[in-house]
Amino acid sequence: MNKFNMMFGVSFKIQEIYNSLSVAKKLVLWYTIATIIQKGILFLVTPLYTRLLTDLEYGVFSVYQSWQMLVSIITVLALDRCITVGFMKFANDRRVFLSAVQSLMTITVVLFALPVVIFASFFERLMGLSIHIIAVMFIVALMNNTFANWMWLQRYRYNYKKLAAVTILSTVIIQLISVYSVIYFPAANKGEILILSSALGGVLLYGILYVSVFVEGKEFYNSKYWTFALRYSVAVIPHALAQIILNSSDRIMIDKLCGRADAAYYSITYTAAMVINLVVLSLCLASQPWFFEKIKGHDFNSIKKKTNFILLFTASLVVLASLVAPEVLSILAPASYNAALQIFPSIATSVLFYSMYISFANFESYYEKPFYFSIATTIVAIVNIILNYIFIPMFGFVAAGYTTLLCYILFAVMHYMFMRKVCQEKLENIKVFDEKFIVGLSIITILLSFVITVTYQFQLIRYALILFVSIIVMTKRKVIVQQMKNLL
């Protein structure tokens, strides 16, 4: 009876805390939970794919994913990047704005698909994929952008439960279709079966959202919205394209310089490390409307405090994930993938600098400075390609993990400089962020990542560190819970 009363009391306390949250905070909470569950599902099915597919077959899938990210930006002219600014600018007409932009996206995808079909053999050689896989890539690009834009609309409407439900349900259905297809469909290349089945699930589900956007918005052409969308997005295309190159060129270059199996090894480690990024990114994106409101109200002290909490939270995730990386990788893939273990901490640490970029870039987005995005991302993408071209042939795919970290540090520094320029022009040169805290946290996290990499060779030391961190977490759990409340 006492246990029941205690459980009831805890449940009541949680409900009381939840009810006290504002709608904006509930959005952040639900979106973050949905993203964690979504990525948790992907985490659970990855071991199935790495064991049901050969290393080369999984390499086909990872290379497809890299090209998919590039195609998703190019074919829609980065129109997805105007959605958040458009929702702020046309707050009373968001459904019509989204409908008009989606029709423009559809046109651009079709226009880009035509030359690919006509010159099919050229693109097959370029991508190393068959034309039917490339064709599917274009359809998936449109559907993925549709889903992303629909999610933004739900965030601005604060439809947090609907957003969470659709995100989780669609992920479950797509993965069920994919797993079933890989297991039961006979094929010479199960990598292609995985690509086609996941694409089928996405098109069926996101196609419903695609239709619903037009049903709600009832707008195909709107010169005002098309002009705004094209003007903003064309300016940011170099940024969007370079950002995808920064994220995916590693795997493409490893595929060309080292082989498809090495691309698979790097991809699985990169994917595991980037789970941290997805959690942090969901938190940052859900908080973006809050950031814009605080910038509008010149409440910079709140921005500084929340940014410090987000960065500290990110750094903590980086350290914890890096410590248990060997166990995580052993679950995700067979022993042949262990060759890429040592790059986990460096890739994970790059997430900290990516979260810095997002915080700084909020000011560039709010004051509509897309050109700054393009300059920074283009420079960093070029640096990344050059470094990979030099060091991958010398040190193998492992070099890509360290070039990624260096490039994200440069990325954060450049956006900090542009943020300061915006503050000088628009905000009387006010200092928004805690520079000393950010620099100190960066140095500590980088040093810890190198120390943790060394401990992979000394299991007892690594287990001792895990025990030490666990004790700290247990003893400071009340402080940690309070900090998590501050994140919301």
Side-chain angles (χ1 to χ4, degrees):
M1 188 67 179
N2 288 335
K3 288 184 179 180
F4 175 79
N5 290 336
M6 184 173 66
M7 291 176 62
F8 179 79
V10 171
S11 177
F12 179 78
K13 183 65 175 177
I14 293 173
Q15 183 67 39
E16 188 178 32
I17 293 172
Y18 175 77
N19 291 336
S20 68
L21 296 175
S22 65
V23 176
K25 289 184 176 180
K26 286 178 180 177
L27 170 66
V28 175
L29 178 64
W30 277 96
Y31 183 67
T32 304
I33 290 173
T35 301
I36 292 172
I37 293 174
Q38 179 191 40
K39 302 312 170 186
I41 293 169
L42 297 177
F43 181 88
L44 291 173
V45 298
T46 298
L48 288 174
Y49 296 146
T50 55
R51 288 166 173 84
L52 290 171
L53 278 64
T54 66
D55 295 353
L56 291 176
E57 288 172 340
Y58 194 81
V60 170
F61 179 64
S62 64
V63 170
Y64 164 82
Q65 287 181 309
S66 299
W67 282 111
Q68 177 67 69
M69 288 190 288
L70 281 170
V71 169
S72 293
I73 292 297
I74 296 171
T75 56
V76 300
L77 296 177
L79 287 165
D80 60 306
R81 304 304 170 102
C82 77
I83 296 298
T84 55
V85 178
F87 281 170
M88 289 289 292
K89 194 177 184 71
F90 311 114
N92 296 323
D93 207 18
R94 287 171 181 158
R95 290 182 299 177
V96 175
F97 171 74
L98 181 57
S99 179
V101 172
Q102 182 169 283
S103 65
L104 186 57
M105 282 185 172
T106 305
I107 293 171
T108 60
V109 169
V110 172
L111 291 176
F112 273 101
L114 289 176
V116 172
V117 173
I118 294 171
F119 303 102
S121 59
F122 168 77
F123 286 98
E124 283 183 328
R125 290 193 301 271
L126 175 66
M127 297 183 175
L129 299 168
S130 60
I131 188 60
H132 66 277
I133 294 295
I134 298 172
V136 165
M137 198 181 290
F138 279 78
I139 301 171
V140 171
L142 179 60
M143 291 299 105
N144 284 350
N145 277 291
T146 295
F147 182 50
N149 296 340
W150 179 86
M151 288 173 69
W152 273 117
L153 181 62
Q154 305 317 309
R155 288 179 205 143
Y156 275 88
R157 287 176 171 177
Y158 294 109
N159 288 339
Y160 47 87
K161 291 184 180 179
K162 184 178 181 180
L163 175 62
V166 172
T167 300
I168 296 169
L169 185 62
S170 62
T171 303
V172 170
I173 293 173
I174 291 171
Q175 293 309 314
L176 285 175
I177 293 173
S178 299
V179 171
Y180 179 88
S181 299
V182 169
I183 293 174
Y184 292 105
F185 277 49
N189 191 331
K190 286 187 176 291
E192 291 194 353
I193 287 294
L194 177 56
I195 292 168
L196 293 172
S197 58
S198 60
L200 175 64
V203 170
L204 291 175
L205 294 170
Y206 301 157
I208 296 171
L209 301 180
Y210 179 85
V211 173
S212 72
V213 168
F214 285 125
V215 171
E216 283 193 27
K218 298 180 176 64
E219 192 83 9
F220 182 82
Y221 172 74
N222 185 300
S223 60
K224 177 184 176 182
Y225 295 152
W226 277 29
T227 301
F228 166 79
L230 287 169
R231 178 177 59 82
Y232 186 92
S233 297
V234 167
V236 85
I237 282 176
H239 159 70
L241 187 58
Q243 189 175 37
I244 296 302
I245 291 173
L246 180 61
N247 292 336
S248 60
S249 63
D250 294 348
R251 281 165 283 185
I252 294 172
M253 292 184 74
I254 290 169
D255 178 46
K256 300 295 184 183
L257 297 173
C258 300
R260 191 144 288 182
D262 281 354
Y265 302 152
Y266 180 85
S267 179
I268 200 69
T269 308
Y270 186 92
T271 300
M274 282 294 121
V275 169
I276 308 167
N277 188 51
L278 293 167
V279 173
V280 174
L281 184 61
S282 67
L283 187 64
C284 292
L285 292 179
S287 301
Q288 193 174 60
W290 178 92
F291 268 92
F292 284 174
E293 289 297 328
K294 295 302 178 182
I295 294 172
K296 183 178 181 180
H298 287 198
D299 186 2
F300 302 120
N301 190 51
S302 294
I303 291 175
K304 178 165 66 176
K305 288 181 179 178
K306 187 155 192 169
T307 301
N308 283 355
F309 291 141
I310 290 174
L311 295 180
L312 184 61
F313 174 69
T314 305
S316 300
L317 285 181
V318 167
V319 172
L320 290 172
S322 297
L323 281 171
V324 298
E327 287 72 27
V328 171
L329 198 60
S330 67
I331 294 171
L332 286 175
S336 58
Y337 286 75
N338 287 343
L341 176 61
Q342 59 185 304
I343 64 173
F344 187 102
S346 60
I347 295 175
T349 304
S350 68
V351 176
L352 175 62
F353 295 95
Y354 188 78
S355 63
M356 289 180 195
Y357 140 72
I358 294 174
S359 298
F360 302 150
N362 280 329
F363 285 81
E364 299 161 51
S365 296
Y366 183 82
Y367 288 106
E368 298 183 31
K369 300 289 185 180
F371 188 59
Y372 291 161
F373 285 91
S374 297
I375 293 173
T377 319
T378 302
I379 291 174
V380 173
I382 292 171
V383 170
N384 182 251
I385 291 172
I386 292 172
L387 291 176
N388 281 337
Y389 187 77
I390 293 171
F391 293 109
I392 289 177
M394 293 172 62
F395 301 104
F397 69 88
V398 173
Y402 295 96
T403 60
T404 297
L405 175 57
L406 288 173
C407 287
Y408 274 109
I409 292 173
L410 176 61
F411 197 46
V413 170
M414 292 190 70
H415 277 285
Y416 172 80
M417 294 168 62
F418 287 132
M419 179 275 300
R420 292 295 307 138
K421 185 173 175 60
V422 170
C423 290
Q424 289 171 4
E425 295 173 353
K426 303 289 185 179
L427 300 169
E428 299 180 354
N429 201 27
I430 189 169
K431 289 189 175 181
V432 179
F433 299 98
D434 189 345
E435 288 90 350
K436 290 182 179 179
F437 174 83
I438 291 172
V439 171
L441 183 65
S442 301
I443 293 172
I444 291 171
T445 307
I446 291 172
L447 290 175
L448 285 174
S449 73
F450 283 113
V451 170
I452 292 170
T453 304
V454 174
T455 65
Y456 292 157
Q457 307 298 321
F458 306 97
Q459 296 284 53
L460 287 178
I461 295 175
R462 186 169 64 86
Y463 290 144
L465 286 173
I466 293 173
L467 179 61
F468 176 71
V469 171
S470 301
I471 292 171
I472 292 177
V473 170
M474 288 300 296
T475 55
K476 299 291 184 180
R477 60 186 181 278
K478 292 183 179 180
V479 176
I480 293 171
V481 170
Q482 184 58 49
Q483 295 290 355
M484 291 301 297
K485 290 180 182 178
N486 289 330
L487 277 176
L488 297 174

